[in-house]
Amino acid sequence: MMNFSAQEDAEFSSFRGAQECDQASAFGGDFDFGHSCFTHYGCPSDMSNGIGPRGRGHPSARVTASASRIPRCAPSPRQTPPVAHSPRPSYSFRPIFHERSNHEDDQVLTQQLWKLARKSGTLNLSNKALARVPERLYDINEADTESKAVNLEQLTIKEEDAWWNQVPLNNLDLSSNTLTHISPKIENLQSLTVLTLHDNALVELPSEIGKLEKLMRLNVSHNKLSQLPRSIYSLPELRHLNISYNEFNEVDPDISDLHMLEFLDGGHNNIQSLPGGIGFLVRLTALLLPYNHIKELPPDLVNMRSLQKIDLMQNDLTCLPEDMGLLRKLECLYLQHNDILELPEFEGNETLSELHASNNFIKTIPTAMCGNLPHLKILDLRDNKITELPDELCLLRNLNRLDVSNNTISVLPTTLSSLAHLISLQVEGNPIKTIRRDILQCGTARILKTLHERALAKSKEEGGGSDLASTSAGISVTRLRGGAGQSDSGEIPGNFPDRYKLRHSRTLAVNLEELTEVPDQVFQIARDEGVHVVDFARNQLSTLPNGLQHMKDLVTELVLSNNVIGYVPQFISQFTRISFLNLSNNLLNDLPKEFGVLNTLRELNIANNRFSFIPNCVYELQGLEILIASENHIKTLNVSGLQSMPRLSTLDLRNNDIDAVPPTLGNLTNITHLELVGNPFRQPRHQILMKGTDAIMSYLRDRIPT
């Protein structure tokens, strides 16, 4: 066995000590290498059971703990100087999820935001993870020390920063934070008109909010509130109140003191009933209370004569007030998923356009209701207990969508075929036996065609020939066609048209009667009775009847769809009040240049024609909001023309021949509904089109060359 000198043993021990010192430095100098783990193996990088860096068999491998060693990190005469290590920076560890400090909340309100709020009167602190409102905020309307100390010379350079040129805060957005309370100092913001607090963790509001006398909009939805301070109900200017998605069990009777309230959303709570005095909210236009547990409506609900929209879906209602007709301005009524057994007659609700009453227990459709709703466009009665449909449904002349699926209907009335504007008829889930299943599966058009053929056959069997008399709108179609009812002198008999019906409905409508022309006298009588809606859809008109010129100052809606119109005469430019024009399903390929002067036009439907481009006159319609040009042969998109239409929000170009979509179309932020499916372009792909307008516009903007 070989023996080694003490000098060599000391040299090796010095090397080990220096190595441990280097390891300690690498770990920040905080590790205890005297731990059993380290004393056994020597150092973390040497896990060889005492085998040193000089290999197995070296004498140092036999060094025991009792042997004398040079102190750790002691310098050795023959040792190479250790490599200098840069000091490890000291990071203050802060977890991602930690309790928010007041200092952090105060830092959110930066000096830049402060100055911007002082200039604009608007402060947006939404989605800032605030646990507390910055204290400085409550003094934002006071002139700060910095602005008061500015001398005259500085003001001449930057006068907009002067305190007398600053605007009081009127719009404060604190939504999407983690606020649990609002300080009573909120009363300092006397100029507030809009206060947004939705999506927080508020359990109560301070009564001092009631001192914000200029407040017009208050949104506290998506919180944990169970009641509001009584002082809120004394706000004299409050018009918009949103308390949805909270924990309310009732609506405070004092809400009737909000005489200026126009919008109330209390959906997704646990409200059991409505207070009796709610009828005093005579200015309310929208009452939204879905997803509650309301079992009965107070009788004075019908006193809110300004109501246009009522949403009571997902409640426990069993009936509606019989005098619903007193709500003469009501346009939309949502009653889905309740326990309603029957519908009222809606006498007086002539403006009602949407009635949604699916998932109830309704057994019959009142026949009187059909005659009382001349402007109804959507009737949703699916998932009820209805056994038959009344023939009087044909009186709903403006009906676009009828859904009676999942009922127990066995027969469809042939009168449904006279609904000229019906584009969606849903009858699946019914035990219908009078129409073959394959016809039902073909959709609305095939069903209506079958019903129309059966109506004609029935008329022939009864001896009425193929000329069906249509008098529901006060017009004898036989006489319009020049039949036996017309006098030899050419004068219109006294009972034609029926002046009373024209005066009552304000509508001149004749559909599905194969008309090729209409006598001028008809329009003269309609003018005398104040008719403003003209509907000659589903006939054989080749152009606009000349007699329409007699009503140029009255017509607001003109429907000439499903005819064979090949051109539009220039006198269309004389209709100074028209807001809706439907020329779909005709033979048009252009429009007269005078068409562009119709500044009152809001909706234009030219779908299913022969247009190869959108006429230039359309781009001159400054008030147009909805343009439907689907089912044509349009090849290109004129983005510059669309940019000149500031109010355009809906653009439907489905099923055309567009081969490329310009990326600059994405800059038209006013368009909120865009339909491009069914065109031959490759980009955007179909998957993006299916995601909706926002995805399409974002995709296009990302591809604008920079």
Side-chain angles (χ1 to χ4, degrees):
M1 182 176 294
M2 300 180 64
N3 296 324
F4 295 90
S5 64
Q7 181 181 1
E8 290 177 332
D9 284 339
E11 177 184 346
F12 178 69
S13 299
S14 175
F15 175 82
R16 289 289 297 270
Q19 187 183 37
E20 291 175 357
C21 182
D22 289 346
Q23 293 286 350
S25 298
F27 285 91
D30 296 331
F31 288 87
D32 181 13
F33 284 91
H35 190 274
S36 59
C37 174
F38 293 96
T39 55
H40 178 75
Y41 292 105
C43 68
S45 61
D46 184 9
M47 309 291 281
S48 54
N49 293 326
I51 299 176
R54 298 190 181 185
R56 189 182 302 271
H58 192 277
S60 60
R62 298 189 298 274
V63 177
T64 60
S66 59
S68 60
R69 299 182 59 182
I70 299 176
R72 181 177 297 177
C73 295
S76 173
R78 296 173 56 184
Q79 181 180 354
T80 303
V83 179
H85 294 276
S86 59
R88 187 167 184 250
S90 177
Y91 296 105
S92 57
F93 177 74
R94 180 176 294 276
I96 296 177
F97 301 102
H98 64 279
E99 185 176 356
R100 185 89 172 188
S101 66
N102 293 346
H103 177 68
E104 288 178 288
D105 289 336
D106 291 336
Q107 284 184 325
V108 170
L109 185 54
T110 62
Q111 190 65 22
Q112 183 180 1
L113 283 175
W114 177 275
K115 289 185 177 181
L116 184 61
R118 296 293 297 270
K119 291 179 181 179
S120 63
T122 300
L123 179 59
N124 187 349
L125 294 179
S126 63
N127 201 20
K128 302 292 186 182
L130 291 173
R132 180 185 61 89
V133 179
E135 286 294 325
R136 186 185 179 196
L137 171 61
Y138 299 117
D139 300 324
I140 196 170
N141 289 337
E142 302 295 330
D144 54 9
T145 306
E146 180 182 350
S147 61
K148 287 183 177 180
V150 175
N151 57 38
L152 182 60
E153 181 180 356
Q154 292 172 323
L155 287 177
T156 57
I157 299 175
K158 207 171 185 180
E159 186 178 355
E160 63 270 15
D161 286 341
W163 58 270
W164 57 79
N165 287 330
Q166 294 171 350
V167 180
L169 188 66
N170 54 62
N171 189 332
L172 177 59
D173 188 349
L174 295 170
S175 62
S176 301
N177 286 289
T178 59
L179 303 175
T180 57
H181 70 281
I182 301 294
S183 172
K185 293 182 181 180
I186 191 74
E187 65 179 338
N188 296 344
L189 308 177
Q190 288 290 320
S191 56
L192 272 185
T193 59
V194 179
L195 179 57
T196 307
L197 298 170
H198 65 79
D199 289 280
N200 278 284
L202 297 171
V203 294
E204 63 177 356
L205 296 176
S207 60
E208 284 75 9
I209 289 184
K211 297 181 180 180
L212 305 178
E213 296 185 353
K214 296 182 180 180
L215 194 64
M216 300 176 64
R217 297 176 65 93
L218 176 60
N219 189 341
V220 293
S221 62
H222 294 270
N223 279 282
K224 299 179 180 180
L225 300 171
S226 58
Q227 62 181 0
L228 296 177
R230 291 290 180 89
S231 58
I232 286 183
Y233 301 117
S234 62
L235 291 171
E237 297 294 329
L238 192 63
R239 288 170 166 79
H240 186 288
L241 178 60
N242 190 338
I243 59 173
S244 61
Y245 292 91
N246 277 282
E247 300 174 1
F248 288 89
N249 293 319
E250 62 179 359
V251 177
D252 197 300
D254 290 339
I255 197 172
S256 60
D257 294 334
L258 296 173
H259 301 298
M260 300 298 291
L261 196 64
E262 298 175 357
F263 177 93
L264 175 60
D265 187 352
H268 296 266
N269 280 283
N270 192 31
I271 298 174
Q272 307 290 327
S273 61
L274 297 178
I278 198 171
F280 288 105
L281 302 177
V282 294
R283 296 178 184 267
L284 201 68
T285 60
L287 177 62
L288 312 180
L289 293 168
Y291 292 89
N292 282 285
H293 298 285
I294 301 173
K295 297 181 179 180
E296 186 178 4
L297 297 177
D300 63 341
L301 177 75
V302 297
N303 294 335
M304 295 188 284
R305 306 296 173 84
S306 299
L307 272 179
Q308 298 176 10
K309 180 179 180 180
I310 299 178
D311 188 350
L312 293 167
M313 65 180 295
Q314 291 282 358
N315 277 278
D316 300 326
L317 294 172
T318 58
C319 63
L320 296 175
E322 284 295 330
D323 47 358
M324 286 288 291
L326 296 177
L327 302 175
R328 300 190 183 279
K329 295 183 178 181
L330 188 63
E331 297 178 0
C332 301
L333 179 58
Y334 299 88
L335 302 169
Q336 305 99 307
H337 294 274
N338 279 278
D339 300 325
I340 297 174
L341 300 176
E342 61 180 359
L343 294 172
E345 295 182 353
F346 293 104
E347 183 178 2
N349 297 116
E350 294 184 1
T351 60
L352 190 65
S353 61
E354 296 185 22
L355 174 57
H356 302 265
S358 62
N359 294 92
N360 282 279
F361 297 95
I362 300 170
K363 296 181 179 180
T364 60
I365 300 176
T367 56
M369 183 191 81
C370 302
N372 293 331
L373 302 176
H375 295 96
L376 192 68
K377 295 182 178 180
I378 298 177
L379 179 58
D380 183 3
L381 295 172
R382 67 182 185 275
D383 292 284
N384 277 282
K385 306 295 182 183
I386 299 173
T387 56
E388 64 177 350
L389 298 178
D391 291 338
E392 286 77 7
L393 279 175
C394 65
L395 299 177
L396 302 173
R397 302 195 65 87
N398 288 298
L399 198 64
N400 292 334
R401 173 188 165 195
L402 175 61
D403 191 344
V404 290
S405 55
N406 298 325
N407 281 276
T408 55
I409 300 168
S410 58
V411 178
L412 293 181
T414 57
T415 54
L416 287 178
S417 62
S418 65
L419 296 175
H421 305 291
L422 189 63
I423 59 177
S424 176
L425 175 61
Q426 304 296 326
V427 296
E428 62 270 11
N430 284 284
I432 298 175
K433 301 178 181 179
T434 56
I435 299 180
R436 298 197 316 267
R437 179 176 298 180
D438 60 316
I439 295 177
L440 295 175
Q441 292 176 345
C442 288
T444 302
R446 186 69 178 91
I447 296 173
L448 294 180
K449 181 180 179 181
T450 300
L451 294 176
H452 185 61
E453 292 172 350
R454 293 183 179 182
L456 292 176
K458 182 178 180 181
S459 178
K460 290 180 180 180
E461 291 177 0
E462 295 175 353
S466 61
D467 259 355
L468 299 178
S470 174
T471 59
S472 62
I475 301 293
S476 171
V477 177
T478 303
R479 291 171 181 169
L480 269 180
R481 295 173 178 171
Q486 190 171 1
S487 63
D488 295 337
S489 61
E491 296 180 357
I492 302 297
N495 64 342
F496 170 72
D498 189 325
R499 292 177 178 268
Y500 172 78
K501 291 184 178 180
L502 291 178
R503 189 183 311 120
H504 178 71
S505 64
R506 304 293 184 186
T507 300
L508 172 62
V510 181
N511 313 119
L512 294 163
E513 301 300 342
E514 306 293 331
L515 295 178
T516 57
E517 60 181 11
V518 182
D520 290 356
Q521 295 93 327
V522 172
F523 297 107
Q524 292 174 356
I525 295 175
R527 178 198 60 193
D528 296 339
E529 300 303 331
V531 169
H532 58 81
V533 177
V534 177
D535 182 358
F536 280 90
R538 295 184 182 272
N539 284 287
Q540 295 295 318
L541 299 175
S542 60
T543 186
L544 278 64
N546 288 326
L548 269 175
Q549 298 181 70
H550 297 295
M551 304 179 65
K552 61 185 179 181
D553 297 327
L554 292 176
V555 173
T556 59
E557 298 183 19
L558 178 58
V559 181
L560 295 168
S561 59
N562 294 92
N563 281 277
V564 289
I565 298 175
Y567 75 98
V568 176
Q570 297 178 354
F571 69 74
I572 188 67
S573 61
Q574 302 174 9
F575 287 75
T576 57
R577 297 185 57 192
I578 190 168
S579 61
F580 175 82
L581 177 59
N582 189 345
L583 295 171
S584 63
N585 293 278
N586 281 286
L587 306 176
L588 295 170
N589 56 25
D590 202 357
L591 294 174
K593 60 181 181 179
E594 293 82 3
F595 194 85
V597 303
L598 299 177
N599 293 326
T600 59
L601 193 62
R602 297 290 179 265
E603 181 175 348
L604 173 62
N605 190 341
I606 55 173
N608 209 338
N609 278 278
R610 299 180 178 180
F611 290 96
S612 59
F613 60 91
I614 298 177
N616 291 330
C617 57
V618 173
Y619 301 126
E620 301 174 9
L621 301 173
Q622 296 298 304
L624 195 67
E625 299 174 1
I626 301 174
L627 174 58
I628 302 176
S630 58
E631 307 287 346
N632 280 284
H633 301 285
I634 299 172
K635 298 179 180 179
T636 59
L637 279 176
N638 186 351
V639 177
S640 59
L642 294 172
Q643 286 177 335
S644 63
M645 306 168 70
R647 294 189 177 182
L648 187 65
S649 60
T650 299
L651 178 60
D652 189 347
L653 295 171
R654 290 173 297 173
N655 299 324
N656 277 281
D657 298 329
I658 301 172
D659 55 6
V661 181
T664 51
L665 181 65
N667 288 330
L668 303 185
T669 55
N670 53 302
I671 296 180
T672 58
H673 187 79
L674 177 63
E675 294 286 352
L676 294 173
V677 175
N679 284 279
F681 55 78
R682 295 186 177 182
Q683 301 291 341
R685 294 184 178 181
H686 183 75
Q687 293 87 339
I688 296 176
L689 299 180
M690 292 296 98
K691 292 181 180 180
T693 302
D694 291 340
I696 298 173
M697 300 302 247
S698 177
Y699 175 90
L700 294 174
R701 284 193 294 268
D702 291 342
R703 278 150 184 80
I704 297 177
T706 56

